[in-house]
Amino acid sequence: MARKATSSYGMRKSFEPKPVKNNKSESSEGKKIYTDYHRHRACPIQGCKSVVKRLSNHIRQVHRDIPVGSPFYKKILREARSAKTWKPSEQVKRFRTEEETKIKKCSLAESEDEVEVQTNNTEPSEEEQAIMESAEEAYSSNVEDEINVVSSFRSWLQSADGGRKDKKLSKQHASQLFRILQIIDPSLQFESLFNKTLVRDTFLKQAEAKYTADTVKAYLLSLRHFCSYVVAEKPESVAVDPALVQQIQEKARLWSMSYRKDSKRRYLEKMDNDLSNLVTPKMVNEYERSEAARSAVNLLEQLSGAHSLQVNQSMYTLVRDFILLEITIANAHRSGDRQI
């Protein structure tokens, strides 16, 4: 129905199959070729927005209050026939092509900017937060505050260019970067951070033996952020070729991906450890029969009848732990249930 309506009003090309013509033209056989010279015209009657091909039929069927053959009827037909059907001029066509070219250029520029932003922000914020939280034994100190480059790097992380990271996270990144520099170069030359052989053979070997996979990934993430800082801000004390900075940034990304398997294994080990440490009914029964629980119950019985019983620190701690544990067990819920 929609196809028929759009075709009848000339709004789009007809989807109906056209009959295949023979090789011989119809004019050669003596038949007259029919050509439809009617054009789509807007109805000149005020309030009517119809675009029709045969205006006379439209007036008879829709505007029945207008008598056929009346002066007003003839006037409407004359106005409609005198009005030319609109066709875009060359100037309008040229304007359209220029506008389309501008739109294409803008869309290409926006797509390039999006690709550049995606390449710069290779680590999503949620994943970064998870890596930094799961990093064990993360290095943190106040020695790096005395170095201007590390201090400015920490301030850059808190700015919009660095992702507006919070104070604690930015300080951790700065501390971990300074720790990498201390391990690979005791003289604290920042150019050493962009020596991939030195970082790989010195830092990664020590880190693999000392830290977990998530902690190593956190250190490498700090190095990647520092590379972005050097490319963006170009500090005077770090004179390094930008191509070398991008190279070490890409290497750090690949090194971080290589620890993904160990990180998942560590995650599963922690889950198994947590499951093994869950409180079981057997543990609860053992505690309720223990000497500490019985002593706490006896003290509560004595306190219920006496109002002037002297309580020392050990008695207070014993009763407090017993009450808190009983409340916790009474309000315990299974995994996945909502605690009210």
Side-chain angles (χ1 to χ4, degrees):
M1 190 67 182
R3 290 181 178 179
K4 187 176 181 180
T6 53
S7 300
S8 62
Y9 285 107
M11 298 174 66
R12 61 190 299 180
K13 187 178 179 181
S14 176
F15 289 92
E16 296 180 359
K18 296 182 179 180
V20 180
K21 296 182 179 180
N22 297 328
N23 295 331
K24 296 181 179 180
S25 61
E26 295 180 354
S27 59
S28 61
E29 298 178 359
K31 296 181 180 180
K32 186 177 180 180
I33 300 175
Y34 172 75
T35 305
D36 188 6
Y37 292 99
H38 293 86
R39 295 182 180 180
H40 289 88
R41 303 179 187 275
C43 181
I45 298 176
Q46 187 176 4
C48 183
K49 299 181 180 180
S50 301
V51 179
V52 295
K53 204 170 185 180
R54 289 175 173 80
L55 186 59
S56 58
N57 295 340
H58 169 73
I59 295 174
R60 293 194 194 98
Q61 296 174 4
V62 179
H63 307 287
R64 298 180 181 178
D65 54 340
I66 301 176
V68 179
S70 62
F72 184 61
Y73 175 81
K74 295 178 181 179
K75 181 181 178 181
I76 291 173
L77 293 179
R78 283 197 303 269
E79 290 179 358
R81 289 169 183 169
S82 61
K84 296 181 180 180
T85 55
W86 181 83
K87 292 183 179 180
S89 60
E90 294 296 330
Q91 184 177 2
V92 175
K93 290 181 180 179
R94 194 182 310 111
F95 177 75
R96 283 183 175 179
T97 54
E98 291 176 357
E99 289 294 319
E100 290 176 357
T101 306
K102 290 180 181 179
I103 292 172
K104 288 181 180 179
K105 289 182 179 179
C106 292
S107 61
L108 288 174
E110 291 176 358
S111 61
E112 290 176 358
D113 292 339
E114 291 177 359
V115 171
E116 185 177 357
V117 169
Q118 291 177 0
T119 53
N120 291 336
N121 300 330
T122 53
E123 196 74 37
S125 58
E126 295 181 358
E127 185 178 355
E128 176 183 356
Q129 192 72 21
I131 290 174
M132 301 304 290
E133 289 179 356
S134 59
E136 299 177 357
E137 303 175 4
Y139 180 80
S140 179
S141 68
N142 296 322
V143 181
E144 65 275 4
D145 294 339
E146 302 176 359
I147 301 178
N148 295 330
V149 178
V150 181
S151 180
S152 59
F153 169 60
R154 185 179 61 184
S155 302
W156 179 80
L157 289 174
Q158 298 178 15
S159 64
D161 294 336
R164 297 178 60 87
K165 296 176 176 56
D166 55 17
K167 186 176 180 180
K168 180 180 178 182
L169 186 60
S170 59
K171 183 179 179 181
Q172 186 175 353
H173 278 302
S175 301
Q176 291 177 165
L177 178 74
F178 188 72
R179 181 59 177 171
I180 296 174
L181 184 61
Q182 285 181 327
I183 293 175
I184 64 176
D185 189 2
S187 61
L188 303 181
Q189 298 295 326
F190 282 93
E191 288 77 7
S192 303
L193 291 171
F194 306 101
N195 188 342
K196 63 178 181 180
T197 306
L198 196 60
V199 175
R200 180 190 59 201
D201 298 341
T202 305
F203 169 72
L204 287 182
K205 286 185 178 180
Q206 294 187 19
E208 289 175 359
K210 186 177 180 181
Y211 302 130
T212 61
D214 289 327
T215 307
V216 178
K217 289 175 65 177
Y219 276 94
L220 292 175
L221 183 58
S222 302
L223 179 60
R224 291 165 60 187
H225 284 316
F226 184 72
C227 292
S228 301
Y229 162 73
V230 172
V231 173
E233 300 298 326
K234 297 180 176 61
E236 296 180 356
S237 57
V238 184
V240 187
D241 187 11
L244 184 60
V245 176
Q246 294 180 357
Q247 183 181 2
I248 195 65
Q249 187 177 17
E250 180 65 18
K251 285 292 182 182
R253 186 184 68 85
L254 296 176
W255 291 337
S256 180
M257 290 177 60
S258 65
Y259 291 99
R260 186 176 298 174
K261 187 175 181 180
D262 296 336
S263 177
K264 291 182 178 179
R265 185 185 296 110
R266 172 62 180 168
Y267 175 73
L268 294 176
E269 290 176 356
K270 290 176 66 177
M271 287 185 61
D272 293 338
N273 189 21
D274 293 339
L275 289 174
S276 62
N277 292 331
L278 289 177
V279 179
T280 60
K282 183 179 179 181
M283 295 180 182
V284 176
N285 293 331
E286 290 179 356
Y287 173 75
E288 290 178 348
R289 296 175 183 177
S290 64
E291 184 178 355
R294 291 179 180 179
S295 301
V297 172
N298 292 332
L299 286 173
L300 290 174
E301 290 178 355
Q302 295 176 12
L303 289 171
S304 62
H307 299 282
S308 61
L309 182 64
Q310 187 176 2
V311 179
N312 54 20
Q313 184 68 27
S314 61
M315 296 169 61
Y316 166 77
T317 306
L318 184 64
V319 174
R320 181 201 63 186
D321 294 343
F322 176 78
I323 293 175
L324 290 176
L325 186 59
E326 288 294 326
I327 292 174
T328 304
I329 294 174
N331 294 330
H333 62 287
R334 295 178 297 174
S335 300
D337 293 346
R338 181 180 295 179
Q339 187 175 9
I340 300 175

